[in-house]
């Protein structure tokens, strides 16, 4: 009887662990997205891109590897991606990632689109920004046999407190996504053409458009 009791208690314990994990996954999936219009302050459209030639992989295999290995492309000191829901080996719509960012910027994002040459995330409630970010590998618009990897985001600060700390947050973001672009070229074993480029367009709450260097 005692042995059966121990086995029963062990099974019950495993059941509770399983229910707890299931509840956590459902709770994460239950978070709502933070659209830009729900944020505070100016709307920022940011772009980071790098051009390169002669990659050792096909475009599809390169993007497939990036999607399956996000932590390898971001600087761990500044931002660390960890998959919260979904298969570790593939990226599918609805999957979620926890992002630990230097400073009080931790948040969760959900995959909103996943294509052979692109993928994008939406921020979820609690993330410091309200918006989305898109990653895409595409042919260079002017040069033949050349590729462009581009990261583009559209977001506002989650609230007034985050907006006040925008200067610091922008510096961290820039370092994260510049490093991401660098590591894409490194993994592709390609020839980088020129420097990594960045641009920021700010649309203020008054409707004014400001272009930042």
């Amino acid at each position: 009887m005692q042995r059966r009791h121990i086995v029963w208690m062990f099974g019950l314990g495993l059941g509770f662990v399983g229910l707890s994990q299931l509840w956590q996954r459902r709770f994460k999936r239950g978070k709502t997205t933070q659209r830009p219009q729900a944020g505070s302050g100016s709307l920022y459209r940011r772009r980071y891109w790098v051009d390169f030639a002669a990659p050792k992989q096909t475009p599809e295999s390169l993007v497939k590897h990036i999607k399956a290995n996000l932590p390898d492309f971001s600087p761990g000191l500044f931002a660390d991606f960890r998959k919260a829901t979904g298969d570790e080996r593939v990226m599918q719509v609805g999957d979620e990632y926890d992002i630990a960012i230097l400073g009080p910027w931790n948040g969760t994002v959900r995959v909103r689109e996943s294509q052979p040459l692109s993928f994008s995330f939406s921020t979820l409630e609690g993330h410091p920004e309200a918006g989305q970010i898109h990653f895409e590998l595409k042919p260079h618009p002017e040069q033949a046999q050349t590729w462009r990897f581009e990261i583009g985001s559209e977001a506002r600060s989650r609230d007034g407190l985050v907006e006040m700390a925008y200067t610091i947050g922008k510096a961290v973001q820039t370092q994260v996504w510049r490093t991401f672009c660098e590591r894409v070229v490194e993994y592709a074993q390609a020839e980088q053409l020129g420097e990594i480029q960045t641009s920021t367009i700010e649309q203020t709450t008054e409707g004014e458009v400001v272009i930042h260097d």
Side-chain angles (χ1 to χ4, degrees), residues 72-144:
D72 294 344
F73 292 88
S74 59
L77 178 63
F78 292 99
D80 186 25
F81 284 83
R82 287 291 179 267
K83 197 157 195 182
T85 64
D87 190 331
E88 290 283 352
R89 298 164 297 179
V90 296
M91 179 187 290
Q92 297 179 323
V93 173
D95 290 351
E96 295 177 8
Y97 292 82
D98 291 331
I99 309 176
I101 305 174
L102 181 67
W105 308 105
N106 299 348
T108 303
V109 296
R110 179 179 293 141
V111 180
R112 64 192 299 265
E113 176 254 349
S114 181
Q115 300 293 335
L117 295 182
S118 66
F119 57 97
S120 59
F121 301 123
S122 292
T123 63
L124 301 185
E125 57 182 306
H127 192 285
E129 289 192 317
Q132 54 265 334
I133 186 166
H134 182 75
F135 302 73
E136 184 172 5
L137 179 63
K138 54 189 176 183
H140 191 282
E142 299 173 353
Q143 301 180 38

Side-chain angles (χ1 to χ4, degrees), residues 54-67:
K56 300 300 182 184
Q57 298 85 13
T58 65
E60 291 79 8
S61 63
L62 176 56
V63 175
K64 181 179 180 180
H65 180 84
I66 294 170
K67 291 193 289 187

